Amino acid sequence: MVPLLLVCLFGLGWTAQLPTPRRDAEYPPPKTLAFLRPFGVLCVKETGVSPSAIKRFSDEDAFEDDRGLKCYMDCMFRLTNVTDDRGELHMGKLLDHVPHEFEDIALRMGVRCTRPKGKDVCERAFWFHRCWKQSDPVHYYLV
């Protein structure tokens, strides 16, 4: 009965509404954005990723297979010193960059994302970001 209901709903053009990312004067935290932007500029230069790919991944439901985007994510991790040479994320170091009032959000987002997969550091960085975005699309953002 359930499969028939799903076929009927999707056949009639009904789709689930994706959550809208929170973007307001307080979120993403302005101080965090200000801290991360210079690293973002350096990582765009290093990887050649387009700013539109970063924004699309951050604000829309686009998990494209873009090597530059994946390596941009790794670059941001490296420059903010939250991963080691193998791409292992250190949550304590990551939380050092999160304002106290948003730590609970970051912890809830990260608790489901502890076993990264990927053949290299770029793939592993992408795995974390995709997992966080899927875990909490409202609060996830990529600078």
Side-chain angles (χ1 to χ4, degrees), residues 39-49 68 71-72 74-76 78-79 122:
F39 297 119
V41 170
L42 293 172
C43 291
V44 164
K45 287 180 185 175
E46 178 181 310
T47 63
V49 68
C71 290
Y72 171 85
D74 172 61
C75 179
M76 293 293 286
R78 276 187 294 107
L79 294 184
C122 296

Side-chain angles (χ1 to χ4, degrees), residues 36-66:
L36 292 174
R37 279 196 181 108
F39 297 119
V41 170
L42 293 172
C43 291
V44 164
K45 287 180 185 175
E46 178 181 310
T47 63
V49 68
S50 73
S52 64
I54 297 165
K55 180 151 180 57
R56 193 167 51 249
F57 187 91
S58 183
D59 295 350
E60 299 173 18
D61 190 31
F63 299 141
E64 59 191 75
D65 191 15
D66 181 331

Side-chain angles (χ1 to χ4, degrees), residues 1-50:
M1 185 68 154
V2 172
L4 180 60
L5 177 62
L6 292 175
V7 168
C8 290
L9 288 173
F10 287 105
L12 295 173
W14 180 85
T15 57
Q17 182 68 19
L18 295 173
T20 302
R22 180 177 172 193
R23 304 292 184 262
D24 55 53
E26 303 300 317
Y27 199 89
K31 288 182 180 180
T32 303
L33 292 176
F35 170 75
L36 292 174
R37 279 196 181 108
F39 297 119
V41 170
L42 293 172
C43 291
V44 164
K45 287 180 185 175
E46 178 181 310
T47 63
V49 68
S50 73

Side-chain angles (χ1 to χ4, degrees), residues 95-122:
L95 286 173
D96 287 343
H97 301 297
V98 176
H100 179 71
E101 63 268 27
F102 298 112
E103 283 180 358
D104 286 344
I105 291 170
L107 287 169
R108 281 193 309 271
M109 191 182 297
V111 74
R112 295 185 183 118
C113 306
T114 58
R115 299 175 194 254
K117 295 174 180 69
K119 63 182 186 234
D120 61 30
V121 292
C122 296

